[in-house]
Amino acid sequence: MAAKVYKPAAEVNLGPDSDEFYISPNVKAPRVAGLLVKIFVWILEMPIIGPMVLYILKKDNLINKLVQDAEIPEPPLFTATHSWEDNPEQNVCLTKPDMSPPERVQEAVGCLPASLESTLAGSPPSSLKRWTIRDFNRAYSSGEVTPVQVAKRFLAAVKECSGPGLNMAFFISYSPEEIIRQAEESTLRYQKGTPLSAMDGILVAVKDEIDCGTRWLGRARACAADAAVVAQLRACGAVLAGKTNMHELGAGTSGINPHHGSTRNPYNPGRVSGGSSSGSAAAVCAGLCPVALGVDGGGSVRMPAALCGVVGFKPTAGRLSNAGVLPLNWTVGMPGILAGTVEDAAVAYSAIVDQSQPSYLRPELNLPLLKSSLSIKNIKLAKYAKWFNDSSEDIISCCDKALQTLHAQYGWETLDVTIPEIEEMRLAHYVTIGSECTASLAKYLDKLRRSEIGWDVRVALGVYGSFSSRAYLNSQRLRNRQMYFHNEIFKTADVIVSPMTGVTAYKLQDDALKSGELDYINGAALVRYSIAGNFLGLPAITVMVGYDKAGLPIGLQFIGRPWRRARSTTRSLKCSTIS
């Protein structure tokens, strides 16, 4: 199979009439779980046969042809950092760089509409209604309810969800005593009329990766202090609710974790929640907390958000601090936010932005003016039809309807474009995230018994460790090309729009609960639209726009220009209020 020879990026036609060939992921790997995945691991870890199998897998799945052995004219681009220009945005509030997290939160609350037009797209199921940050804050301020009362209800609900009848596996650890202590302090502040911010007393769940991310690594990597994003939330008075479950090491998309249990989807406990920020997405979906933190290295915030019907947001690379986050993937991963509404995502975001860097390194924070009467004109949405339509019929229909409604209600235009080399970018990202994960964990893996690692993660680590330096360098060349393509598209469009996933939440099968599973076909469908946000460091957000025929949520994604998060968020609010 001859390696691909790429023409210079500047010669690629990005218009709707482009003859660039779209490659739909043709994953050649059967689903295996239970005994079969164990057998596969044993084969993969054999000295001679294992490398041969890995070579065949990479060859059959086009990694060799499209990435490792390809001829690419561009030089490598090793980081997804973006320069910025001081171009004023419309309908935003510019914060001062010396504001504290509580002050930023109050500024963000002042930008919100008087009331939310709609909390969910569509109608079913009507039972999934959630309190927002402002709902809690108003109730706390009026004395209708106290943070202690909410904390006690939360603990009772988590206990019920974790019991043998449901076994939802949202959390891997939480301390009732610590939660009550935080809530008591918050209650006292409200009684004195001195809450720290609108987030005082708000329950916030935290993905395990913002500490360790797996049972065995937790023993080897002691955590002596809060991660930067956690410390900022604590400064706002938030009640840290515990560590949420995740796909082990973030090395999968299903949320199946043989160590801590498989996180189930609140819309249907027989379906996956998505990953790797599975527990955070499901906890918000279930109404246990209005906001949760995740980490997004390859759609790991946005993907489970879409499957669970909540908002998932990752900002421009560099906007949030990675301090205290497990460094699994240096150049593609960063913290992100899961929330019940775009408004809540905006408030939480205002709390955790990193303002420690000088202004010449990153722009000051713009908060979107999310007034319900606000209508931004002349918005242009770039749509690559072949990519957009590479999803299930229900998703295509629902997302197209959302775009039609945005046009009818707000006059937003959809521009047809071509985004070349989508599958090439997915494979280059896979090589990048795998190589960086292997390098990051090397000092732990060398001292570890393999039996302590989940079977599916052992396969992932085996593949990750097989990537050559040439494959990694060529991946960075492809990153350079994609950066050029996207920058060109953003010269004529404000945002790139796509479904968030190619499929809705699929069935959680019993044979995978203790072993994990290898399901690269569904996995490729889940990450199909998420890669640019990570590989290119672009701000991206998903909002729910409806349901499939089985009543499972569907997410629509907006990928924005770097550092233009405010406009993207305002667009998302408009989309989240249509039904």
Side-chain angles (χ1 to χ4, degrees):
M1 185 182 296
K4 180 173 180 176
V5 178
Y6 291 81
K7 59 185 175 184
E11 297 179 9
V12 177
N13 182 0
L14 306 182
D17 59 340
S18 175
D19 60 358
E20 289 294 310
F21 184 69
Y22 173 75
I23 302 175
S24 179
N26 183 23
V27 178
K28 295 183 178 179
R31 178 193 177 274
V32 293
L35 178 60
L36 288 178
V37 73
K38 296 178 183 180
I39 293 173
F40 186 68
V41 169
W42 293 330
I43 293 172
L44 210 61
E45 292 178 351
M46 295 175 67
I48 298 176
I49 298 177
M52 293 175 59
V53 172
L54 286 170
Y55 175 83
I56 293 171
L57 283 174
K58 290 186 289 185
K59 178 176 177 292
D60 288 349
N61 289 282
L62 303 182
I63 291 176
N64 292 351
K65 176 181 180 179
L66 300 181
V67 181
Q68 177 174 291
D69 301 329
E71 294 184 25
I72 306 170
E74 285 73 25
L77 177 65
F78 292 102
T79 57
T81 55
H82 296 277
S83 59
W84 63 280
E85 298 176 1
D86 192 14
N87 293 326
E89 293 191 73
Q90 291 180 319
N91 302 305
V92 298
C93 172
L94 180 62
T95 64
K96 297 177 182 178
D98 58 350
M99 277 185 168
S100 67
E103 289 171 333
R104 293 197 301 267
V105 165
Q106 294 310 107
E107 196 81 6
V109 170
C111 296
L112 300 181
S115 62
L116 187 62
E117 297 175 45
S118 173
T119 54
L120 291 175
S123 52
S126 59
S127 59
L128 287 180
K129 300 293 184 181
R130 312 176 186 92
W131 275 31
T132 67
I133 290 174
R134 283 194 300 170
D135 290 333
F136 282 108
N137 180 246
R138 288 165 180 161
Y140 293 159
S141 298
S142 68
E144 174 188 345
V145 70
T146 68
V148 169
Q149 290 173 315
V150 170
K152 289 180 177 178
R153 293 174 186 175
F154 165 81
L155 291 170
V158 172
K159 184 177 180 180
E160 180 182 357
C161 291
S162 304
L166 291 175
N167 194 26
M168 300 296 284
F170 295 153
F171 288 85
I172 67 165
S173 66
Y174 63 96
S175 168
E177 295 79 11
E178 175 62 16
I179 291 170
I180 294 298
R181 183 195 65 77
Q182 295 176 74
E184 287 174 342
E185 292 179 354
S186 178
T187 298
L188 185 60
R189 289 192 291 269
Y190 276 102
Q191 289 172 347
K192 292 180 177 179
T194 57
L196 297 177
S197 75
M199 289 202 69
D200 205 330
I202 303 299
L203 287 157
V204 180
V206 179
K207 184 183 182 183
D208 191 32
E209 190 176 343
I210 305 180
D211 185 1
C212 297
T214 185
R215 176 179 292 174
W216 55 267
L217 188 53
R219 295 195 303 270
R221 181 176 177 270
C223 302
D226 284 338
V229 289
V230 173
Q232 289 168 298
L233 287 170
R234 201 184 293 278
C236 294
V239 176
L240 281 303
K243 305 303 291 295
T244 56
N245 202 356
M246 61 177 284
H247 203 111
E248 185 178 9
L249 292 181
T253 57
S254 66
I256 297 172
N257 189 316
H259 301 302
H260 301 296
S262 300
T263 302
R264 297 174 181 271
N265 195 312
Y267 275 89
N268 184 335
R271 303 279 178 151
V272 300
S273 60
S276 61
S277 302
S278 48
S280 290
V284 172
C285 174
L288 294 176
C289 49
V291 172
L293 295 182
V295 179
D296 197 314
S300 291
V301 163
R302 293 161 288 142
M303 182 200 316
L307 298 192
C308 292
V310 299
V311 174
F313 169 56
K314 72 158 294 293
T316 305
R319 178 55 94 182
L320 302 182
S321 172
N322 278 315
V325 179
L326 182 65
L328 289 176
N329 31 76
W330 299 288
T331 71
V332 297
M334 67 178 298
I337 297 167
L338 299 109
T341 66
V342 172
E343 292 181 315
D344 282 354
V347 173
Y349 169 73
S350 70
I352 65 174
V353 293
D354 182 10
Q355 297 285 71
S356 65
Q357 300 294 322
S359 59
Y360 62 82
L361 291 178
R362 67 191 65 177
E364 295 176 356
L365 172 65
N366 285 335
L367 294 171
L369 293 171
L370 300 179
K371 303 299 183 182
S372 59
S373 60
L374 180 64
S375 179
I376 297 181
K377 303 295 184 181
N378 303 318
I379 295 299
K380 294 180 173 59
L381 309 173
K383 174 185 174 184
Y384 180 26
K386 292 179 181 178
W387 182 47
F388 191 100
N389 295 332
D390 192 9
S391 54
S392 71
E393 291 183 7
D394 285 352
I395 292 176
I396 297 170
S397 174
C398 188
C399 291
D400 270 334
K401 181 182 177 183
L403 296 185
Q404 292 166 13
T405 304
L406 288 171
H407 176 70
Q409 292 190 6
Y410 305 111
W412 294 1
E413 287 186 62
T414 299
L415 306 178
D416 290 325
V417 301
T418 296
I419 307 175
E421 303 165 17
I422 292 287
E423 176 64 357
E424 291 87 336
M425 178 168 59
R426 184 184 74 86
L427 294 175
H429 171 270
Y430 184 56
V431 171
T432 301
I433 195 171
S435 300
E436 293 177 359
C437 180
T438 300
S440 174
L441 296 176
K443 62 182 178 181
Y444 303 113
L445 296 173
D446 291 344
K447 303 174 183 178
L448 186 71
R449 295 194 306 272
R450 290 178 180 177
S451 60
E452 295 186 72
I453 309 174
W455 293 96
D456 62 325
V457 175
R458 285 168 69 173
V459 173
L461 292 174
V463 177
Y464 293 169
S466 72
F467 295 135
S468 66
S469 58
R470 181 178 180 184
Y472 185 80
L473 288 170
N474 270 357
S475 295
Q476 310 324 302
R477 291 186 170 96
L478 289 170
R479 193 201 306 250
N480 198 347
R481 292 174 66 83
Q482 286 295 332
M483 195 73 83
Y484 173 82
F485 296 148
H486 282 71
N487 286 339
E488 288 297 303
I489 289 170
F490 284 131
K491 289 179 179 178
T492 56
D494 298 293
V495 70
I496 296 170
V497 66
S498 76
M500 188 60 247
T501 59
V503 294
T504 53
Y506 58 89
K507 290 183 179 180
L508 179 61
Q509 300 189 42
D510 291 342
D511 61 351
L513 298 182
K514 293 184 178 180
S515 67
E517 69 177 5
L518 302 177
D519 189 348
Y520 290 117
I521 294 176
N522 272 321
L526 289 179
V527 303
R528 183 162 300 149
Y529 303 100
S530 63
I531 300 304
N534 300 104
F535 201 45
L536 308 181
L538 300 173
I541 191 168
T542 179
V543 296
M544 188 173 70
V545 291
Y547 304 87
D548 69 4
K549 293 183 179 66
L552 297 168
I554 293 171
L556 181 68
Q557 177 180 223
F558 297 90
I559 305 170
R561 298 174 182 172
W563 304 119
R564 293 300 183 96
R565 196 269 323 167
R567 285 174 68 84
S568 299
T569 302
T570 308
R571 293 183 202 103
S572 302
L573 178 70
K574 290 297 182 185
C575 195
S576 69
T577 58
I578 66 178
S579 59

